Amino acid sequence: MSFANAYNAKGSVSCGTIISTNKSNPALTKGMMTAYVNGFITGRNYERNSNTGKGIDHGSIFYAVLKYCNENPLDTNVDAAEYIYKKLDKK
């Protein structure tokens, strides 16, 4: 589920790389992807003056990235972050 965006996303990593790196170095993958998505959520919240994602733990964020990437291996962490943000924003 690729989202059409008119911006340059820094730190983009393919879902294929996330999946394979998680097998060889799960601690690194968890730390990096959790930090990336948390930063994405924080940036969007700042932009929108929102509290989306408040109370969601790091483990849930990471497993949401893995789930998204396993279901969409040709997408990126940016797509996963946008998807997760939109899901959290509906809560």
Side-chain angles (χ1 to χ4, degrees):
M1 173 185 293
S2 226
F3 298 94
N5 297 311
Y7 63 88
N8 180 12
K10 296 295 191 180
S12 181
V13 178
S14 73
C15 278
T17 298
I18 293 167
I19 294 164
S20 65
T21 304
N22 188 52
K23 291 177 184 171
S24 62
N25 197 339
L28 175 68
T29 307
K30 183 176 184 177
M32 292 186 73
M33 289 305 106
T34 302
Y36 184 88
V37 175
N38 282 338
F40 183 94
I41 291 169
T42 300
R44 291 292 307 274
N45 282 345
Y46 179 81
E47 169 189 52
R48 298 175 63 226
N49 194 29
S50 173
N51 283 318
T52 297
K54 184 176 181 177
I56 300 296
D57 62 276
H58 298 308
S60 296
I61 294 290
F62 177 63
Y63 290 113
V65 171
L66 285 184
K67 181 178 186 301
Y68 180 89
C69 283
N70 280 310
E71 293 173 359
N72 303 280
L74 300 177
D75 285 357
T76 68
N77 62 325
V78 179
D79 299 311
E82 182 70 31
Y83 176 81
I84 292 164
Y85 188 84
K86 287 180 178 182
K87 292 285 270 190
L88 291 172
D89 198 38
K90 291 179 182 178
K91 289 187 168 228

